[in-house]
């Protein structure tokens, strides 16, 4: 998350902010600022840790965070694709809950 927040921005007037709540295990990557006369504010990545598993609540990144977690050695059964409905999760290679 911090690595992504510290990357050189494509648009210097848009700031990436890592919001890390280690007490409650909520992690966000936000982008905020201006591009020309248009306001930008949104969440590109939202992760939670629940019951020892990484829940990907939202992933708006080019290279999926699940892929990166797998490459870092996180087992697929420790990752939940929370952005999929509960009945669809069974058809993924990841944990259901």
């Amino acid at each position: 998350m911090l690595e992504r927040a510290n990357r050189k921005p494509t648009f210097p007037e848009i700031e990436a902010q890592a919001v890390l709540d280690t007490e409650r295990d909520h992690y966000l990557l936000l982008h905020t600022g201006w591009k020309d006369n248009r306001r930008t504010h949104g969440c590109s990545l939202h992760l939670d840790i629940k019951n020892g598993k990484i829940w990907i609540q939202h992933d708006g990144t080019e290279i999926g965070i699940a892929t990166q977690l797998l490459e870092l050695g996180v087992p697929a059964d420790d990752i939940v694709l929370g952005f999929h409905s509960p009945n669809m999760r069974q058809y993924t290679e990841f944990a259901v809950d």
Side-chain angles (χ1 to χ4, degrees):
M1 187 85 55
L2 289 174
E3 177 186 316
R4 289 174 182 259
N6 290 326
R7 288 182 185 166
K8 184 179 179 192
T10 305
F11 302 101
E13 49 290 317
I14 297 176
E15 177 185 2
Q17 300 175 347
V19 181
L20 312 172
D21 180 353
T22 57
E23 187 175 315
R24 293 172 199 83
D25 287 326
H26 302 296
Y27 306 90
L28 303 168
L29 181 61
L30 301 175
H31 289 87
T32 186
W34 292 87
K35 183 174 182 270
D36 301 322
N37 289 326
R38 186 173 178 156
R39 179 73 175 154
T40 296
H41 180 84
C43 175
S44 62
L45 191 58
H46 176 181
L47 305 176
D48 292 323
I49 298 175
K50 297 180 186 183
N51 300 318
K53 295 188 181 192
I54 300 170
W55 282 68
I56 302 172
Q57 304 292 11
H58 176 73
D59 186 356
T61 64
E62 288 182 28
I63 300 172
I65 192 69
T67 300
Q68 289 186 301
L69 291 170
L70 292 172
E71 289 172 355
L72 290 170
V74 177
D77 59 348
D78 285 345
I79 300 170
V80 178
L81 302 180
F83 55 83
H84 283 309
S85 66
N87 62 334
M88 292 303 292
R89 291 183 202 142
Q90 63 184 319
Y91 302 112
T92 72
E93 64 182 287
F94 300 99
V96 174
D97 60 13

